Amino acid sequence: MVLVIGTGGAGLRAAIELAEAGVDVLAVGKRPKDDAHTALAAGGINAALATMDPEDSWQQHAADTLKESYLLADPRTVEIVTRGAARGIEDLERYGMAFAREEDGRISQRFFGAHTFRRTAFAGDYTGLEIQRTLVRRAEQLDIPVLEGVYITRLLVHEGAVFGAYGFDLTSGRRYVIHADAVVLAAGGHTRIWRRTSSRRDENTGDSFRLAVEAGARLRDAELVQFHPSGIIEPESAAGTLVSEAARGEGGILRNALGERFMARYDPERMELSTRDRVALAAYTEIKEGRGTPAGGVWLDVSHLPRQTIMTRLPRVHQTLMDLQMLDITRDPIEIAPTAHYSMGGVWVRPEDHSTDVRGLYAIGEASSGLHGANRLGGNSLVELLVFGRLTGRAAAAYSQSLTAQPRSASAVAAARAELDGLLAADGPENVRALQRAIRDTMTEHAGVVRDEDGLRAGLAELAVIEKRMEAVGIHPDIAGYQDLAHALDLKSAALAARATLESALERRETRGCHNRSDYPGLDSALRVNLVWSPTTGVTREDIPAVPDEISALMRDVSTAGKLVE
């Protein structure tokens, strides 16, 4: 049996592959599967189908991905994803997904920032939601068992091999010991450790990072976090909620408080269609230099577009702003600011099958690393989860079927049980939620869009104080369930993810893609490496393979214009 942790797009795609291969599979998620984080992805999914631009190819898709990764993406991973992207789309079609189409039946594709050609397929501006629904429907057809509302607290490991996981029910507190031949970790990234984020409460808190590291795996590129340029500011309860990149793709214009179309200063050629890192940095700079709105944002305006275009191409954006702000985007601009959006680093994995340092443990989706480097192209994450959901599901199936016996460890189970018993007995004065907020404040202040040595060291000092305070938490489950226990584990995950991010960001003494060091404003060719982190070794450097000639021939130089921020 193979256990899949996470029931978003990546986890469900892996579970489907396992079930279709005839392997017993169990998928476990702490959220309802219909409401996984994948459902929030709005803009689209990339594949060089060449339905709109016949000259497009997987090689050009790979070149664009590597170029905009600032050469930190793994070329082997990039090739696997871009070659396999069309198959990913075909799989969704086979499962019954309805893509937007041209009048002659071709799948519609639109531009997303920094793509050479139109290669982003979509379903309105709710592509992720439609993918999630499609995968849920296919999983139900295959009778894949899904445990919802179950929090996995620890992976069970014996002599370097995983043999299952330990967890509890968020409502009843019931404990689970799940024995499995292999485990696929698909539990997301760590963007919730910033104050303004596109992730909702209690998701993307770094669960995958902690589970993997405590099992003996390592993290790669934890410092490379994508800040999406357009998160809403109000209301505070929804701060960071995304305005889809499709709003810029369809012709939205960015202006500062003075009414200036400021992207002309940062990327006059591509303007609003520039890469996310440059648009986010441009907005941050405008705000920091006093040209932002009173609430600390800039304006994104689509009101000049035909109302019909907005209602058919951006219906979700329109509905979201109406619901949250009573704002009609067909008439008024949207106030936005950069928001922590995507973990481009994650668990260290091998490119061919996303296996980790721990035998039988795999990581996929936002939990993993290798594809995005220092800047993720919009639309690449959804196709990544399809490609590696399929390939990793197949690899986990083969690994499971190759085992003739599997040693287990009573002491590993006992340690997992003791961890929860200890937390439930904790009755200290510290509040878990307050400590989570303290981590978010620290990361926002010292490891946001722009960083420097003094700030990162100050962040590490603050984190050390928070880690000490964590020893005195009080945990009190109540009639509503065991959420307080889950929050305590989220806190442990957030602290580990924050330390990995701060220590790695300190080591990357350069400005590259999403990682802006005001004290090191230039690219350093010696740092064209991946930074790999674990609690025992700290940060080490890993060389990146050369880009194949057929891909490098299609790459343009990456300009650093507009990236010098003091």
Side-chain angles (χ1 to χ4, degrees):
M1 195 273 282
V2 175
L3 171 65
V4 177
I5 301 172
T7 53
L12 287 179
R13 183 62 189 88
I16 288 166
E17 192 68 22
L18 285 154
E20 289 184 342
V23 174
D24 290 334
V25 57
L26 172 66
V28 177
K30 65 180 183 181
R31 297 187 75 94
K33 61 182 181 293
D34 293 316
D35 192 34
H37 189 63
T38 303
L40 298 184
I45 177 169
N46 297 337
L49 304 177
T51 60
M52 307 296 284
D53 294 313
E55 59 270 48
D56 199 9
S57 64
W58 74 261
Q59 292 95 334
Q60 187 62 61
H61 185 185
D64 290 351
T65 299
L66 284 160
K67 172 173 60 69
E68 294 302 339
S69 80
Y70 290 75
L71 300 178
L72 293 191
D74 180 274
R76 299 162 301 184
T77 302
V78 171
E79 178 173 341
I80 289 168
V81 169
T82 53
R83 271 181 177 268
R87 167 69 186 271
I89 300 290
E90 290 166 11
D91 287 342
L92 288 177
E93 287 188 284
R94 178 162 59 92
Y95 303 152
M97 179 165 163
F99 286 99
R101 293 182 182 270
E102 298 296 298
E103 289 184 2
D104 61 5
R106 290 173 295 149
I107 288 179
S108 296
Q109 294 191 285
R110 60 185 171 200
F111 275 119
F112 250 18
H115 289 280
T116 300
F117 298 110
R118 290 173 288 180
R119 67 167 67 98
T120 303
F122 59 96
D125 62 350
Y126 48 89
T127 309
L129 178 61
E130 191 59 33
I131 288 173
Q132 185 70 14
R133 286 172 174 166
T134 300
L135 295 175
V136 166
R137 191 166 59 241
R138 180 59 180 155
E140 289 171 347
Q141 290 171 352
L142 293 167
D143 290 326
I144 295 171
V146 178
L147 273 179
E148 296 178 314
V150 170
Y151 194 112
I152 297 298
T153 64
R154 184 175 290 206
L155 299 178
L156 301 174
V157 177
H158 177 61
E159 294 183 349
V162 71
F163 68 91
Y166 194 85
F168 68 95
D169 186 281
L170 284 162
T171 302
S172 68
R174 176 187 177 188
R175 307 282 183 92
Y176 289 89
V177 180
I178 303 170
H179 292 293
D181 300 331
V183 174
V184 178
L185 190 55
H190 71 314
T191 51
R192 189 67 208 172
I193 69 174
W194 280 268
R195 193 163 54 222
R196 187 181 286 147
T197 168
S198 58
S199 296
R200 297 167 295 190
R201 283 166 66 108
D202 310 321
E203 68 183 11
N204 288 325
T205 53
D207 310 33
S208 297
F209 293 11
R210 179 179 63 83
L211 288 171
V213 165
E214 290 182 353
R218 297 169 295 161
L219 303 180
R220 177 167 54 196
D221 296 338
E223 80 283 9
L224 300 180
V225 177
Q226 185 167 62
F227 286 82
H228 195 289
S230 50
I232 65 170
I233 297 174
E234 302 289 344
E236 180 62 33
S237 61
T241 299
L242 286 192
V243 175
S244 169
E245 196 166 40
R248 289 188 287 119
E250 293 296 338
I253 290 173
L254 289 166
R255 299 189 192 279
N256 60 22
L258 305 176
E260 297 170 327
R261 192 174 177 183
F262 59 82
M263 281 309 299
R265 275 197 280 275
Y266 302 91
D267 193 341
E269 182 184 341
R270 292 184 291 197
M271 299 291 282
E272 284 83 6
L273 285 178
S274 185
T275 56
R276 285 178 177 174
D277 65 306
R278 292 187 203 181
V279 179
L281 179 58
Y284 173 91
T285 305
E286 294 295 306
I287 296 162
K288 196 79 170 175
E289 293 183 355
R291 296 185 293 277
T293 63
V298 294
W299 298 109
L300 172 59
D301 192 3
V302 296
S303 64
H304 57 284
L305 300 175
R307 179 180 175 84
Q308 183 65 18
T309 298
I310 292 172
M311 301 309 289
T312 56
R313 296 281 191 155
L314 305 170
R316 200 178 192 186
V317 175
H318 182 270
Q319 188 65 47
T320 297
L321 270 298
M322 190 63 78
D323 290 346
L324 292 174
Q325 298 180 2
M326 284 298 291
L327 180 78
D328 182 355
I329 66 170
T330 67
R331 302 168 65 175
D332 299 303
I334 311 160
E335 195 171 11
I336 59 165
T339 179
H341 177 52
Y342 194 89
S343 304
M344 292 182 292
V347 179
W348 182 93
V349 291
R350 297 176 182 88
E352 59 275 4
D353 61 3
H354 276 215
S355 58
T356 69
D357 301 299
V358 182
R359 292 195 311 282
L361 176 63
Y362 304 81
I364 56 175
E366 198 172 353
S368 66
S369 61
L371 176 63
H372 307 295
N375 186 50
R376 177 178 74 89
L377 279 178
N380 267 1
S381 56
L382 289 177
V383 77
E384 175 190 21
L385 62 83
L386 292 174
V387 172
F388 278 112
R390 179 172 65 86
L391 294 178
T392 301
R394 185 177 299 172
Y399 176 82
S400 171
Q401 292 165 337
S402 74
L403 295 179
T404 54
Q406 187 187 41
R408 297 172 180 171
S409 165
S411 62
V413 177
R417 185 183 301 118
E419 178 182 37
L420 286 197
D421 291 343
L423 286 171
L424 288 170
D427 195 28
E430 293 286 357
N431 180 276
V432 168
R433 281 301 210 195
L435 292 176
Q436 284 183 327
R437 194 177 311 116
I439 288 178
R440 290 200 292 271
D441 288 345
T442 292
M443 295 303 290
T444 300
E445 182 66 29
H446 301 301
V449 176
V450 178
R451 305 154 178 188
D452 62 37
E453 188 103 5
D454 291 345
L456 292 166
R457 292 196 182 281
L460 283 165
E462 289 178 17
L463 181 61
V465 172
I466 294 167
E467 289 168 335
K468 186 67 178 172
R469 291 172 61 192
M470 285 167 56
E471 297 172 8
V473 295
I475 296 168
H476 310 287
D478 56 26
I479 193 169
Y482 282 72
Q483 295 292 341
D484 210 34
L485 178 58
H487 298 331
L489 289 153
D490 284 346
L491 175 62
K492 291 177 69 169
S493 298
L496 181 143
R499 179 161 290 282
T501 302
L502 288 165
E503 291 183 2
S504 300
L506 194 60
E507 180 72 14
R508 188 168 288 286
R509 293 178 174 87
E510 65 167 351
T511 287
R512 187 186 292 261
C514 66
H515 179 74
N516 295 285
R517 285 286 297 261
S518 58
D519 48 349
Y520 292 94
L523 276 172
D524 182 348
S525 59
L527 281 165
R528 197 216 148 202
V529 294
N530 296 128
L531 299 182
V532 181
W533 180 92
S534 80
T536 51
T537 62
V539 180
T540 59
R541 297 185 179 192
E542 180 178 72
D543 289 334
I544 300 170
V547 177
D549 290 343
E550 67 172 327
I551 305 301
S552 61
L554 298 172
M555 292 168 60
R556 294 170 298 172
D557 289 339
V558 178
S559 167
T560 56
K563 292 193 60 62
L564 308 184
V565 179
E566 298 301 324

